[in-house]
Amino acid sequence: MTDEIWKRDEIESPCTKICQIHPETGLCLGCARSGEEIGRWSRMSPEERRAIMADLPGRTPAPTGRRGGRAARLKRMEK
């Protein structure tokens, strides 16, 4: 006999518990979802969540190139 009271369907999620939104891309560094997607996740239909999850591998949550180090900081400060 199973206890039906405690049985529930969990919402699938790509969350990796590294929750930080990159300031330039607006995407989470852990799961690559946008802040808006994260906020609506529990209210989305399973189809909407699956479509986003299928798109995630193609997303780049943070720029991959170097930002320029000290020289770039000095240049930004001049503006």
Side-chain angles (χ1 to χ4, degrees):
M1 182 173 140
T2 61
D3 190 348
E4 294 296 321
I5 294 172
W6 296 107
K7 188 175 181 180
R8 65 181 186 179
D9 291 329
E10 294 293 329
I11 295 174
E12 56 189 327
S13 173
C15 182
T16 61
K17 298 181 182 166
I18 300 172
C19 306
Q20 184 176 358
I21 302 295
H22 192 278
E24 292 177 31
T25 65
L27 299 176
C28 176
L29 296 176
C31 67
R33 291 180 292 171
S34 70
E36 189 268 335
E37 290 169 338
I38 292 168
R40 288 189 332 105
W41 197 255
S42 64
R43 296 183 306 276
M44 288 181 183
S45 70
E47 293 78 23
E48 288 177 290
R49 289 192 298 270
R50 281 189 213 106
I52 291 170
M53 288 177 69
D55 189 51
L56 293 178
R59 296 183 183 183
T60 304
T64 55
R66 292 196 54 171
R67 295 185 297 176
R70 182 176 185 270
R73 281 193 306 278
L74 292 173
K75 189 173 183 178
R76 284 193 302 266
M77 291 174 70
E78 290 174 359
K79 292 181 181 180

